[in-house]
Amino acid sequence: MKYLDEFRDGAIARALADEIRQIVTKPWVVMEVCGGQTHSILRNGVDQLLPEGVELVHGPGCPVCVTPLEVIDRALAIAQKPGVIFCSFGDMLRVPGSSTDLFRVKAEGADVRIVYSPLDALTLARRDRDRQVVFFGIGFETTAPANAMAVKLASDEGLDNFSMLVSHVLVPPAIEAICRSKGNRVQGFLAAGHVCTVMGTRQYPAIAERYGVPIVVTGFEPIDLLEGIRRALVQLERGEARVENAYARVVSEEGNPAARAVLDEVFEVTDQSWRGIGRIPQSGWRLAPSYRGFDAAERFDVGAIRTVESPECRSGEVLQGLITPPECAAFGTVCTPRTPLGATMVSSEGACAAYFLNGRRKRGTNGVAAHA
């Protein structure tokens, strides 16, 4: 299959791994930002091809994992309102709030529905004008354009029974927050290719220069990841810090102008809280004033939200690359995909889920996790 099989070729992967071993002269820590990349790395054993001392840590690029607990609790409260159809991607249903999750409130009678697109929720709103349809709009720059378009269509059609609970986050401010954080160990980044497909690469050169870190835009197949790692390590060994595009078959410098245009029209940038990390300035989107009438957080009064996070969960440290999942005492014991303490264990892009599902239960000798 064109653009797929050639990026899973074992011979090419082994050749890249050999080249990486010849490049590396000292230990390095590289972060892949996206949870999809994390799962691909562990599923394909990319980390185990790397020389001892080259450590991959996992970033905050899981949209479900970083959705604030306060927003999850608000979603739960709205979903239990009479007359509400609450629509969400399936990943969000098992994410624990302070006391319950969307699966449980659905089992208790709330009308919670899994949809595959915000446009599915819009269709429900068109069909059932007597009920309020709320879509849980989360995610990064990848999902935001479709959500923005759904709000724009609802506005154009005068659908007053459609609204969106918005919790969108932006990647570049998160990378900067990691670079500035106390105890940061990350020396180079693999930027998420799908985010750059929308936003382009223009946001990254200033970050690379400001913090002295290589940033390589990288895809999701094993060869993509090894090539991204190779380029980052070449820069680190040479003392360079610049942006490279290792995903040029998909990503351009300008990104997708049409998608950016609808984002600029429907959303405005705002400070945003990230679950397990905290508030990051100018790291999120909220509905712009002209579309604020579609904001479910304003449409539904749910009173004061008091959040209670599990004291055992170390998801926040995993999301910042400070630890790997097996370093959490609860990992694989009290915290499993069936009994998650945090979103990183239950999300399909969560780092803890990636380690658990791929049988990685302890750290190896080269700083990366090894098979149990």
Side-chain angles (χ1 to χ4, degrees):
M1 187 180 295
K2 185 66 174 170
Y3 298 128
L4 189 59
D5 290 345
E6 61 267 49
F7 293 95
R8 296 177 177 178
D9 187 290
I12 296 174
R14 287 188 290 275
L16 277 169
D18 288 342
E19 190 173 347
I20 289 171
R21 278 191 285 273
Q22 294 171 16
I23 291 168
V24 172
T25 65
K26 60 186 78 170
W28 298 109
V29 178
V30 176
M31 171 180 279
E32 85 278 358
V33 173
C34 173
Q37 292 173 332
T38 303
H39 276 257
S40 183
I41 285 168
L42 296 177
R43 184 171 59 249
N44 293 291
V46 169
D47 54 333
Q48 297 180 326
L49 294 175
L50 302 179
E52 187 165 346
V54 175
E55 183 178 2
L56 296 182
V57 293
H58 319 300
C62 164
V64 171
C65 304
V66 299
T67 300
L69 186 56
E70 187 273 343
V71 177
I72 304 284
D73 286 346
R74 187 173 297 278
L76 290 162
I78 293 173
Q80 294 175 86
K81 290 269 185 186
V84 166
I85 301 173
F86 193 88
C87 301
S88 171
F89 296 132
D91 269 12
M92 291 301 297
L93 268 64
R94 289 190 63 84
V95 175
S98 292
S99 60
T100 186
D101 59 44
L102 286 167
F103 257 136
R104 289 192 178 94
V105 300
K106 178 178 174 64
E108 292 165 358
D111 193 347
V112 177
R113 303 189 191 183
I114 296 174
V115 295
Y116 298 96
S117 160
L119 299 182
D120 293 342
L122 206 60
T123 298
L124 287 172
R126 293 187 186 108
R127 289 176 181 169
D128 197 344
R129 297 299 301 270
D130 294 330
R131 299 184 65 186
Q132 288 289 322
V133 176
V134 181
F135 178 73
F136 202 175
I138 70 158
F140 290 88
E141 294 92 332
T142 47
T143 54
N147 292 349
M149 181 56 72
V151 172
K152 180 174 170 55
L153 287 172
S155 177
D156 292 345
E157 297 174 24
L159 284 173
D160 58 5
N161 66 326
F162 177 84
S163 60
M164 188 172 290
L165 184 60
V166 177
S167 185
H168 278 300
V169 286
L170 306 172
V171 168
I175 290 178
E176 291 198 79
I178 289 169
C179 290
R180 290 193 302 265
S181 68
K182 185 178 180 181
N184 173 46
R185 299 187 301 127
V186 180
Q187 296 161 297
F189 290 91
L190 306 182
H194 50 7
V195 168
C196 295
T197 301
V198 176
M199 305 302 289
T201 62
R202 299 175 303 168
Q203 297 172 299
Y204 293 105
I207 299 173
E209 181 178 359
R210 186 176 303 128
Y211 299 99
V213 291
I215 299 176
V216 182
V217 179
T218 307
F220 302 86
E221 298 300 330
I223 304 304
D224 289 319
L225 292 157
L226 283 164
E227 174 62 11
I229 294 165
R230 185 192 70 80
R231 294 193 188 198
L233 293 172
V234 166
Q235 287 197 50
L236 288 167
E237 289 283 342
R238 291 176 178 172
E240 298 173 349
R242 54 189 169 79
V243 176
E244 287 189 71
N245 183 3
Y247 202 33
R249 70 184 186 279
V250 176
V251 171
S252 64
E253 183 179 3
E254 69 274 12
N256 184 328
R260 292 206 318 274
V262 72
L263 289 171
D264 290 342
E265 177 181 340
V266 175
F267 292 131
E268 64 179 12
V269 175
T270 185
D271 296 348
Q272 175 74 22
S273 292
W274 296 53
R275 188 172 190 174
I277 298 176
R279 202 162 188 82
I280 302 176
Q282 300 293 286
S283 69
W285 272 311
R286 64 178 178 180
L287 290 168
S290 56
Y291 291 97
R292 201 67 55 77
F294 294 93
D295 188 345
E298 295 194 3
R299 184 173 296 186
F300 297 93
D301 181 6
V302 297
I305 300 289
R306 299 182 63 183
T307 60
V308 181
E309 190 70 86
S310 165
E312 297 177 89
C313 181
R314 299 180 68 183
S315 287
E317 294 168 82
V318 172
L319 291 168
Q320 297 174 74
L322 299 175
I323 64 169
T324 54
E327 293 176 77
C328 174
F331 175 80
T333 55
V334 297
C335 183
T336 70
R338 287 185 176 275
T339 58
L341 295 180
T344 51
M345 181 56 90
V346 70
S347 169
S348 63
E349 293 192 34
C352 297
Y355 275 70
F356 189 93
L357 295 173
N358 289 285
R360 311 294 186 87
R361 307 295 172 85
K362 59 187 178 183
R363 290 176 66 84
T365 56
N366 66 343
V368 298
H371 281 296

